[in-house]
Amino acid sequence: QVKLVESGGGSVQAGGSLTLSCSVSGRRYCPGWFRQAPGKEREAVAAASTTSSATYYANSVKGRFTISQDNVNDTLYLQMNNLEPEDTGVYYCAAGGTWASCNWPPRLEYFGYWGSGTQVIVSS
């Protein structure tokens, strides 16, 4: 089975930066980051390939966020720059139990494993 644990959330002012980390263990496929604002549905933010350098970014974060992997230490990262109040929400890392999660744009049902989330608050 796959286990994921997020860390690095916090409160920052608009224009600031924050880096989220996700410790991942177990056999898994293409991972990604999702976020959920209060009263809204969970949405895909970024995703990465297990076997290549290919990445996916939602249009709302493209150019500001960067997803990366440290496979030696089994850690997934999300570097967030120039944060905006609209980026506020609970961020989750996720991974697929099959190659289905490598199909983009990411769909929630492709990801069988989820972390418990970490809160990000961006104030104006």
Side-chain angles (χ1 to χ4, degrees), residues 27-47:
R27 182 174 175 78
R28 69 282 188 181
Y29 299 87
C30 302
W33 288 94
F34 293 76
R35 69 185 180 189
Q36 187 167 22
K40 297 184 178 180
E41 296 184 351
R42 192 169 301 183
E43 63 176 352
V45 175

Side-chain angles (χ1 to χ4, degrees), residues 21-80:
S21 299
C22 176
S23 176
V24 188
S25 63
R27 182 174 175 78
R28 69 282 188 181
Y29 299 87
C30 302
W33 288 94
F34 293 76
R35 69 185 180 189
Q36 187 167 22
K40 297 184 178 180
E41 296 184 351
R42 192 169 301 183
E43 63 176 352
V45 175
S49 173
T50 300
T51 58
S52 76
S53 60
T55 56
Y56 162 88
Y57 295 98
N59 289 333
S60 60
V61 307
K62 191 171 298 183
R64 299 188 297 119
F65 290 12
T66 302
I67 187 171
S68 61
Q69 302 176 84
D70 180 346
N71 293 322
V72 174
N73 295 305
D74 293 328
T75 305
L76 181 71
Y77 299 97
L78 183 66
Q79 175 65 50
M80 305 183 292

